[in-house]
Structure formats: structure tokens, C-alpha cells
Amino acid sequence: MLPRRLSQLYGGLVLYGVSSSLIILSGLGNDPWDVFHQGLSRQTGIGTGWWVCIVGALVLLLWIPLKQKPGLGTVSNVFVIGLGVVVMLALFDQASELGAQVALLICGVVLNGVATGMYIGARFGPGPRDGLMTGLAARGHSIRVVRTGIEFGVLVAGALLGGTVGIGTLVYAVSIGPLAHFFVPAFTVRSPVPQPA
């Protein structure tokens, strides 16, 4: 059980970094958090991938009033996803043909939903950003509604900082809530049922 959970956790985190990078490389608009990260990058000169790590660490402070407890998945999220973005953006150039851009965007959005379900479902604790989602959802709100609200909030902040907003941003913002709503339960590793003595 533990090896499966660990492989699902780290597979999901790597996939999250890759899928976020696919969206950025599509050139059709970043996902809302990366609009925010890119806006911070443009204001400071620190790379977008590094801001993924920095913001992840800072968002943990918002967990305090939600009484969320960080786990291995939380700490790993702060580093693995950001470093994945740093590597992907260093290795690949932004797409220039519309067909490739659309394919990268669609793959990135869907795989991001799968990755969210994988690493949260491994039950090692959600990442900093998703901890906000699960913490608020635990208070009786729908994952879909909470995630969508968070995405629109950071989108506005990122746009004000100068991050790139496009059609891809809108597609991600309206899709990730329903995708997470489906994939988190689908990938949740259930605890074994105790056998009677």
C-alpha cells in the first residue's frame, strides 16, 4: 500500500509540473496560479518556476485558520512542482502553430486535473494551494465551487501584476473545478478494511 501511495504522490506531482508547463508553452494563456506566478516574476525578475516554489511556501500560512495539517505531499508539492516547471521551461520553447498550441492547452488542462487527483488521492496531504480547496470544502462547500472561486481570485491578482491572460486561462479556470471534483475521488487510495480477528 505504501509503495503505491508514494509512487502515486510523486507521479502526480511530476505530472502536475509537466501539465502546468504544457499550458504555459501553449502560449494561449497561463492557468490562473501561473498568471500570478508570472506576474510576480515580471515584477521581481525571479523566474516563474521559482515563484511556484515561493508562493507554495507562503500559502501554507493561510492554512492556519483552516486548521489544515501539512504532510509529506504538502512539503513535496512546494518543491517538486516548481522544479518541474523550471526544467520544462528551460528545455522547451513556446509553441507557435495553432494546432500545437491547442493540443498543448487541452492536454495540459486535462492532465492537471488527473495530477491533482493523483497526488491528493495518495493521502499524504494536499499541496499548499489545494489545501485551501480541501480545507474550505471540508466546511461543507463543493470542491468544484471552492476551486473555481480560488482560481478566479488569483487570476485577478496575477493579471494586475502583469501576468499573461488568454483563452487558455479561461478554459483552465472553468474546467479545473469539475476535473478535480471527478479525479480526486477517483484516485483516492482507500484504507484497508480491518479483518475480524
Side-chain angles (χ1 to χ4, degrees), residues 3 7 10 12 14 26 35 44-45 50 62 65 71 94 105 107 115 133-134 140 194 197:
S7 61
Y10 287 103
V14 170
S26 77
V35 171
T44 64
W50 295 113
L62 298 176
Q94 192 170 347
L105 174 63
C107 288
M133 173 184 71
T134 57

Side-chain angles (χ1 to χ4, degrees), residues 11-34:
L13 291 175
V14 170
L15 182 60
Y16 200 105
V18 169
S19 62
S20 292
S21 300
L22 294 178
I23 296 167
I24 294 170
L25 293 169
S26 77
L28 296 177
N30 301 332
D31 70 70
W33 278 103
D34 285 331

Side-chain angles (χ1 to χ4, degrees), residues 50-166:
W50 295 113
W51 272 113
V52 174
C53 297
I54 295 166
V55 170
L58 294 174
V59 166
L60 285 176
L61 296 175
L62 298 176
W63 283 35
I64 295 170
L66 295 176
K67 297 185 173 151
Q68 290 280 88
K69 294 180 182 176
L72 176 64
T74 311
V75 176
S76 299
N77 180 295
V78 170
F79 300 104
V80 175
I81 293 175
L83 294 176
V85 173
V86 169
V87 171
M88 286 287 290
L89 297 184
L91 291 176
F92 299 100
D93 294 326
Q94 192 170 347
S96 56
E97 297 181 3
L98 183 59
Q101 290 177 304
V102 171
L104 286 171
L105 174 63
I106 293 171
C107 288
V109 171
V110 173
L111 291 176
N112 201 267
V114 172
T116 298
M118 286 177 67
Y119 89 80
I120 291 177
R123 295 187 302 114
F124 282 109
R129 299 159 189 83
D130 289 317
L132 290 179
M133 173 184 71
T134 57
L136 291 168
R139 282 151 178 75
H141 305 291
S142 162
I143 288 178
R144 174 182 355 188
V145 171
V146 168
R147 180 65 184 254
T148 302
I150 290 171
E151 296 299 323
F152 277 113
V154 296
L155 170 60
V156 170
L160 292 173
L161 289 168
T164 303
V165 179

Side-chain angles (χ1 to χ4, degrees), residues 179-191:
L179 287 169
H181 190 79
F182 176 79
F183 284 115
V184 169
F187 280 103
T188 297
V189 178
R190 309 288 179 210
S191 298

